[in-house]
Structures are given as structure tokens and as C-alpha cells.
Amino acid sequence: MDFYQKKAITHDRNNVLVVAPPGSGKTCVILNRLIYLIKEKNIEPKNIAVITFTKAASDNMKKRYKHIWKHNEEPFFGTFHSFCYRILCTQLKEINLIKEKEKYDLLEEVLKNYINNLSEEKVKGVLNDISLYKNNNLNIENINCTVDKEIFYNCYLVYENYKNNHNILDFDDLQIKCRDIFQNNKDILIRYRNKYPYILVDEFQDCDNMQISILRLLNEGNSLFAVGDEDQCIYGFRGSNPNCMVKFDKYFSHGEKVFLYKNYRSGKSIVELSKKLIQNNIVRNNKEIHAYNKFLGETELVFAKDEKEQLNIICQNIKSLIDTKKYFYKDFAIIYRRNIEGLYIIDSFLKNNIPFRSLQRSTNLYDHFLYKDIIAYLKLSLNKQDKKSLIRIINRPFRYISKTLTDKLLSNNIKDNSFHLIYDMDISIMNLKIIKSLEKCIDRLSVLPMEKTIDYILNNISYMDYIEYYVNKYKGDREELLYLINMMKESLMDFSSIDEFINYVEKAKEENNFKEQGVTLSTIHGVKGMEFKNVFIINCNDGNIPYTKDTNYNLEEERRLFYVGITRAIENITFFIPEKDSVQYLLPSRFIKECHFISNNYNELKKGDIVMHSYFGKARVERVEQDKLSLIFNNKLLRSFYIDSLKFNNLIKRE
């Protein structure tokens, strides 16, 4: 242990906050503080509570403690929720907890009344909104909901009434009821102050208001030893706030901060780059961070023409590094800002036979309603007997075909052209014309070249009208849907026929590609607490990183999120910047500029040097200023450029 770790472990103040940057050994500090209290201060293990934010972290802490200290008694190890559950078990007659699937199914049923093509992400978003609403005592006017506030409040009322009627609680209720008992019954509060005079908290920056309230109630005259890093506070959507770290002494009387300074994980270049980035935040503790490792680590910025080229480069890089025998697939992680970005990677990895594990397992490209719809159109063009495909798309866009008619079609056991089966039914002349028009479109679709099929479905069959309807009615993300369409277009280009593509889709859906030893694919949120030898952060474009379209957009939290992504890397980190998407040219993330990691070769240029500009050709350097470069081209024209712009777009090379 280094000097600062020892200082934290042996600190004699009641309330201590250990500010621990990435890779600084915070778990080691907590465990050794625990042993110090038991061995040196003669504190009974039963009088100590060690609180973590996940069961996995709690189990790991308990396992390591038992390995270090052989003792019959042990402290309490658990999450905030399990801590509150233990307390409530002694106060309430019976505690029945609602199951996660039960919660999900309940909210899904409610939301189906308002939203067609309901996604898993939308349901989970509303569940998170309910949790945030309850734990932070928010007014309905002050919460930014995943859905309309009226819909949200109806969901909330149905959810709470269901729990009350079935006499069950959720995890949030455990914290709320525990807080209420402490506030309303001084005797019980004193009893638990005496029972747990020493509380150790891991990942303190992730505490929400309710958890801080419980800790403060228990803290009077007692000891709190908290470990965290406000620079890694990335769960604002759950109610966490970096101020609990920055203003620790305001929350807990006579609180004192101890700083750890060494990053034992990453190479020096990676540490320095991350420091330059995070120093742009205001709400943080002023601290120094130094790399312990002597190796530099590689930091690289890669410009790609588009997202497809970006993934091609990644696949090539991974394969070439695997060929060196220095790395295994598990040594790589590709991380991104939004779930949807992982879909394209999965498709690319399947085609390149690269094993992977997606930490967001539920994310499946071909389970999205848009993909299912377009694939249904394509399947129908190959086989008009496919009743299920016809029924799926018959009202997408709206053709006003009744459910009675589609039910009759589904129940018909005759194997024949599905359109002909409808013609034989008792239908109106108007419906007959609509169905015949659709059949003609399907016939046309079956003979089109692959590259024209998607646009034909969107425009000629008017599926784009359905997308616009979905966006307007359910506040869907239009940009996200267009992104998916573009992905599908790109994917189709790798196949020579619709039949070949459909076979690939069926195989991809069946294949289990979750490989524990594969490349890790995840959002940045998903890899917090993890580390990898090689990290690729993709789509480092402004608007995506930081993600400015979120209604809860917070620039400092977005910067913290990027910081967490960077500090997952041990040896190498590569940032990818696609120059354009299907619609427009893109700018590099403002965070890339803040990192200041790009080569300073431009600054080494001097008057008279010959360079080649990507657009304007050969030129002579006339003047080098702090932020500008002036060049004279062969036509004697003098042009000035911002150096940052030249760097970002890789526009000039030395001749």
C-alpha cells in the first residue's frame, strides 16, 4: 500500500471521505480499513456495516474479507436495499417483494394502452422514472419523463395501487419505509445507531437523496467511512449527484477528505489524457492523479469515412492484434454512448466471425419492430403463403383492414397465396382494391435489386408514413429509426438476394453469440468498474458524445461518462470519429479537443515548410501562430486555417 492509502485506512476522524480516482485500489482500502477497525481498534465485526451498490460487489467484498481475516463473526455486507430490508424485518410483520418480471409485465400492460410497438427500453425507462420520482421527492412538474407526464402518472398510480392491493413492496419502498421509521421513532433510530456505529460505503458518489438521508440519520455520533469518485458519478438519471462528494463536510459534520493519487491501472498517456478532459468540470474536488505504471500506453484517434468503415477498421485491428498472440478476444472492449449503437457492431461481428459478449443482452437487432416489419415485407415477397408476415404489415401503413379479417386469415388452414385467401372472403370493394394494390407492390418488390428494396418499401409502399405516425403519436426517436434504416440498407448490400439475407437473419437470431471469452460490447454505463487491455470508443461525434438530445442533458455528467470510458483502458485506447452518417457530415466530439492528446506535429511546422492540403493541394507555410496556420498555395493565394480544424479533419501532411 502507498502512503495515501495507509493514511486513509488509519484516519482517526469519525467521518472520512476517501476520494479515489480510477484504478487507485479503493476496494483494497475499504477491506484494510475494515481489518484495521477490528484488529487495531478492537471493534466488534457485528458493529460494522459495509454497504455496496451491487450484490456482486458485496459478495466480492465478503469473499475477500473472509480470505484475509478468519473470524467467526463478520460485519454486515450488502447493498443499501438489503441493509434496509434487514432493519424492516425486525419492524414489520411480513415483507413481500415484487419480482422484477412482475414489475415489468405490469407496466408493459399499462403502456400498451398508449404505445404501439412498445420497446423493452421504454418500459424500463418508465420504471426508472417511478424510482427517481419516489426516491427524490419530486413533483410531477419537475420530472423529465420517458413518456408524457399524464401517461407516467397513470403508470405510477396503477403500479402503486397494485403493490398496495397485493401487500408487496419494491426496493425503493424498503429505503423509504426505513427512512420513515428512523424519522418517526427515535428509539428505533438510537437502537440502530448503537448496533452499527461504523458504516463503510463503497461507490459513495452513486448515492441518491434517500440513501444520503438514511446515512445522515444513522451518523450522529457515529463513524462514516465513504469511498468514491465524483468524476465517476454517471447515474444522474437514478438520482445520484456529485455534490455528496464535493460538499461532504456539509452533509456529515466535521467530515474530512483524504485523496488517493495513484492510478495503478492505466498507462501514463491514458491517465494524462483523462486528466485533461475531466479538469474541464466545475463540480468536482481539486485533486492530482498520477500514473503508477511506467509504460505510456497508446492513445489513438481514427477518422473513418462512415460507420461502416469504422467497424471494418475495428474488425481488422482486432484480428491483427489477435494474430500477434499477445491478446485474447476478452482483452478487447468496444464501448459506446447509446444501446442502439451496439446493434450495428453485433451485425458486423456476426459477419466477421468475431466472438463477443454484449453486456446489454436484451439488445437484438432483429427484435426491433422496424426490422421485423421490413423483414416481413421481404419474406412476403419470397412467399405469399406467409400469413404471419402479411398480417404483420397489412396495416403498416394503415390500410384500415379489420382485425376480424386478419383473424379469419390466420385461422384458415389452407396453404395458398394469402392474398387469394383474402379475396375469397366477404370483404368490401374498398378493402379489395387496397389488398390488390398491396399484392402488386409485393410482386414488384420480389424482382427489385437488393439495393432498392428498402427505399421501395419506405416510399412506394409508404412505410415511411407509418414511421412518421409512430414518431408523432408516441414521441418516438425519428433520428434513431432513420439510423436503423440506414443500418439495414448497409447490411443488405452484403447479400446477393433477399433469400440469402433472410437465411442470414434466421441464423443470426438462433445463434448464441454471448461468449464469456469474446470481445465485450457495451454502453459506457455498462462497463463502469471494469477494465480491459484494449478499448475502442466509437462514434465520438458531437451530439452523440456528449449526447445532447436527452431531455436530461447535463454536460458535466456527459463529460464524466466519457472519462469513465477512457479510464477503462489499461494499455491502449482508440477513439473513432466517423466523418458522416447517412444524412450529414459530423463534427468530432468537443471532448476530443478537451483531451489535447492529438499529435502536436502541426506546432512543429515552421515558415517555409512544404505541406499537402487534402482539398487545396501543395502549399508553403507562411506563418505559424498559436491557433492558426497560414499557407500560400501554388496559385499564390494565402489561406489561414485553425490548427484544431486541420487536426480534427486530418487535412494536411508534411511533404
Side-chain angles (χ1 to χ4, degrees):
M1 287 183 289
D2 63 39
F3 171 81
Y4 299 101
Q5 289 173 328
K6 290 177 182 176
K7 182 181 177 182
I9 291 162
T10 58
H11 208 288
D12 59 0
R13 278 288 185 94
N14 271 5
N15 296 324
V16 179
L17 173 67
V18 182
V19 183
S24 60
K26 63 181 179 63
T27 304
C28 176
V29 167
I30 292 175
L31 283 168
N32 280 280
R33 173 69 171 187
L34 186 56
I35 301 302
Y36 172 78
L37 290 174
I38 297 169
K39 189 176 179 181
E40 302 298 330
K41 294 294 184 179
N42 297 316
I43 308 300
E44 292 290 331
K46 65 181 181 180
N47 294 135
I48 305 171
V50 182
I51 299 175
T52 64
F53 271 83
T54 65
K55 187 178 182 302
S58 173
D59 291 344
N60 177 52
M61 198 87 70
K62 186 175 182 178
K63 183 180 177 182
R64 291 175 65 173
Y65 166 80
K66 284 184 171 181
H67 181 72
I68 298 171
W69 187 253
K70 311 295 182 184
H71 203 282
N72 292 330
E73 286 189 337
E74 62 184 41
F76 167 84
F77 290 95
T79 63
F80 268 103
H81 298 110
S82 64
F83 181 72
C84 293
Y85 180 84
R86 172 176 283 202
I87 292 169
L88 291 177
C89 281
T90 65
Q91 307 303 317
L92 304 179
K93 289 182 180 179
E94 186 179 16
I95 299 176
N96 296 308
L97 290 173
I98 189 170
K99 295 177 180 173
E100 289 299 311
K101 188 177 186 306
E102 190 176 2
K103 286 164 58 175
Y104 182 93
D105 290 346
L106 175 65
L107 265 295
E108 185 180 43
E109 282 303 310
V110 179
L111 287 166
K112 278 180 179 177
N113 297 321
Y114 303 100
I115 302 174
N116 291 335
N117 300 311
L118 184 63
S119 67
E120 181 181 350
E121 197 167 339
K122 185 72 74 176
V123 179
K124 288 182 176 179
V126 174
L127 283 168
N128 184 75
D129 291 343
I130 291 173
S131 177
L132 191 65
Y133 179 66
K134 292 167 64 175
N135 278 312
N136 292 276
N137 297 318
L138 297 174
N139 295 321
I140 191 69
E141 294 79 18
N142 297 332
I143 184 170
N144 290 310
C145 308
T146 309
V147 294
D148 284 341
K149 289 185 180 179
E150 186 178 345
I151 298 173
F152 164 76
Y153 199 61
N154 285 338
C155 288
Y156 170 74
L157 291 177
V158 170
Y159 178 68
E160 290 299 310
N161 288 334
Y162 177 87
K163 290 196 290 115
N164 291 334
N165 293 336
H166 291 79
N167 193 31
I168 51 180
L169 306 175
D170 63 18
F171 282 144
D172 297 319
D173 295 327
L174 296 177
Q175 295 187 157
I176 294 167
K177 287 187 178 296
C178 185
R179 189 274 316 267
D180 291 346
I181 287 172
F182 285 166
Q183 285 183 336
N184 300 325
N185 194 316
K186 191 79 178 269
D187 290 339
I188 294 175
L189 176 59
I190 291 171
R191 187 194 311 165
Y192 282 98
R193 282 175 180 170
N194 293 333
K195 183 174 176 60
Y196 297 115
Y198 294 88
I199 296 177
L200 286 66
V201 181
D202 189 20
E203 302 289 3
F204 185 70
Q205 78 280 346
D206 293 335
C207 288
D208 60 29
N209 289 340
M210 189 63 62
Q211 291 158 349
I212 293 292
S213 296
I214 292 169
L215 290 173
R216 291 182 72 182
L217 285 164
L218 288 168
N219 184 244
E220 189 174 317
N222 286 349
S223 171
L224 172 66
F225 186 86
V227 182
D229 181 14
E230 74 283 353
D231 292 335
Q232 298 183 73
C233 180
I234 59 173
Y235 296 118
F237 60 91
R238 296 180 190 168
S240 61
N241 190 319
N243 275 316
C244 69
M245 297 272 305
V246 179
K247 300 179 180 179
F248 180 76
D249 57 336
K250 300 291 192 299
Y251 287 92
F252 300 93
S253 61
H254 307 294
E256 187 166 324
K257 299 173 186 176
V258 179
F259 293 84
L260 304 184
Y261 292 95
K262 291 182 181 178
N263 179 319
Y264 291 91
R265 173 187 299 151
S266 307
K268 186 176 179 181
S269 296
I270 299 167
V271 172
E272 291 301 311
L273 181 146
S274 67
K275 282 166 58 179
K276 289 172 184 173
L277 170 76
I278 203 62
Q279 284 167 2
N280 290 277
N281 271 7
I282 296 170
V283 185
R284 67 188 297 267
N285 289 298
N286 185 22
K287 54 183 181 286
E288 283 293 325
I289 307 169
H290 304 285
Y292 172 80
N293 294 309
K294 296 192 184 309
F295 67 88
L296 285 175
E298 293 291 330
T299 61
E300 187 179 2
L301 186 68
V302 176
F303 286 88
K305 182 176 69 176
D306 51 29
E307 200 166 1
K308 187 174 182 178
E309 185 178 79
Q310 170 184 248
L311 287 174
N312 287 338
I313 294 170
I314 288 172
C315 290
Q316 291 169 11
N317 285 357
I318 290 174
K319 287 181 174 180
S320 61
L321 287 169
I322 291 292
D323 287 343
T324 67
K325 308 296 184 185
K326 185 180 175 181
Y327 301 107
F328 301 97
Y329 285 112
K330 65 181 178 67
D331 296 326
F332 296 85
I334 302 175
I335 57 180
Y336 33 86
R337 177 60 181 86
R338 299 172 297 146
N339 267 323
I340 194 171
E341 298 170 74
L343 300 178
Y344 207 0
I345 305 172
I346 291 172
D347 191 47
S348 181
F349 274 25
L350 285 171
K351 290 172 181 173
N352 284 276
N353 294 315
I354 295 176
F356 64 88
R357 61 168 188 154
S358 175
L359 299 190
Q360 289 75 42
R361 293 196 193 191
S362 61
T363 305
N364 190 320
L365 184 66
Y366 303 106
D367 283 340
H368 195 283
F369 83 84
L370 187 147
Y371 269 58
K372 285 183 174 180
D373 289 351
I374 291 177
I375 288 170
Y377 271 110
L378 295 174
K379 280 184 173 181
L380 196 59
S381 75
L382 295 178
N383 178 18
K384 290 185 184 178
Q385 291 187 17
D386 188 344
K387 296 175 188 175
K388 288 184 178 179
S389 290
L390 177 57
I391 290 169
R392 180 171 184 89
I393 55 88
I394 202 165
N395 280 313
R396 299 186 182 185
F398 290 113
R399 300 184 178 94
Y400 306 100
I401 307 301
S402 69
K403 189 173 184 303
T404 304
L405 190 146
T406 56
D407 287 346
K408 282 183 181 178
L409 175 61
L410 192 61
S411 62
N412 195 322
N413 294 322
I414 299 173
K415 288 188 177 181
D416 196 1
N417 184 317
S418 299
F419 292 94
H420 293 171
L421 292 176
I422 293 176
Y423 300 152
D424 292 337
M425 296 178 187
D426 184 19
I427 61 172
S428 68
I429 294 173
M430 180 63 72
N431 277 352
L432 185 64
K433 286 182 178 178
I434 291 169
I435 299 295
K436 283 191 173 182
S437 175
L438 176 59
E439 185 181 16
K440 285 182 181 178
C441 290
I442 296 298
D443 288 337
R444 174 63 178 154
L445 181 63
S446 66
V447 297
L448 284 176
M450 284 290 287
E451 65 272 15
K452 293 184 179 181
T453 53
I454 303 290
D455 283 332
Y456 186 82
I457 293 169
L458 292 172
N459 303 317
N460 297 71
I461 306 182
S462 301
Y463 185 75
M464 195 67 200
D465 291 347
Y466 179 76
I467 291 175
E468 296 296 348
Y469 162 81
Y470 178 85
V471 169
N472 293 329
K473 185 170 176 68
Y474 305 117
K475 293 191 174 182
D477 189 333
R478 189 176 188 273
E479 186 179 324
E480 182 175 292
L481 295 175
L482 294 178
Y483 176 83
L484 285 169
I485 288 169
N486 186 56
M487 283 171 54
M488 197 168 197
K489 285 181 180 179
E490 293 282 356
S491 185
L492 250 69
M493 298 302 289
D494 295 327
F495 301 92
S496 59
S497 68
I498 293 175
D499 193 39
E500 186 185 353
F501 173 69
I502 297 298
N503 286 335
Y504 165 76
V505 170
E506 295 302 320
K507 182 182 176 184
K509 288 169 69 175
E510 292 172 4
E511 191 173 344
N512 179 16
N513 288 286
F514 187 86
K515 314 290 186 186
E516 285 291 347
Q517 301 301 309
V519 177
T520 296
L521 311 181
S522 176
T523 61
I524 303 176
H525 283 103
V527 291
K528 185 172 177 287
M530 304 174 74
E531 60 183 36
F532 307 90
K533 290 182 179 179
N534 304 285
V535 172
F536 301 135
I537 305 182
I538 63 170
N539 299 328
C540 297
N541 301 105
D542 229 40
N544 188 53
I545 296 176
Y547 188 61
T548 55
K549 298 177 181 65
D550 196 324
T551 54
N552 297 315
Y553 166 65
N554 180 310
L555 182 61
E556 292 217 348
E557 179 152 332
E558 289 290 318
R559 188 177 285 111
R560 291 194 293 270
L561 189 61
F562 197 52
Y563 175 78
V564 167
I566 294 170
T567 54
R568 298 313 92 197
I570 299 173
E571 296 181 11
N572 308 299
I573 185 163
T574 308
F575 305 84
F576 286 86
I577 303 178
E579 293 180 351
K580 64 182 178 71
D581 59 18
S582 58
V583 179
Q584 61 187 346
Y585 280 89
L586 305 169
L587 293 172
S589 168
R590 68 194 75 178
F591 295 158
I592 296 293
K593 181 179 180 180
E594 291 176 1
C595 288
H596 295 294
F597 76 100
I598 302 172
S599 170
N600 290 320
N601 289 340
Y602 291 88
N603 299 335
E604 296 172 3
L605 292 170
K606 58 185 186 296
K607 184 175 181 177
D609 285 346
I610 304 299
V611 298
M612 180 64 71
H613 193 284
S614 297
Y615 297 122
F616 302 115
K618 188 178 288 188
R620 186 182 77 253
V621 176
E622 178 62 19
R623 187 167 58 254
V624 181
E625 300 174 74
Q626 187 175 0
D627 61 345
K628 285 185 180 179
L629 187 68
S630 299
L631 304 176
I632 297 180
F633 293 86
N634 287 342
N635 58 4
K636 309 300 182 185
L637 184 64
L638 176 67
R639 294 178 183 266
S640 294
F641 304 88
Y642 283 103
I643 291 175
D644 282 343
S645 176
L646 294 172
K647 288 179 179 180
F648 280 144
N649 296 289
N650 200 25
L651 289 176
I652 65 167
K653 294 180 180 177
R654 192 191 294 266
E655 283 284 279

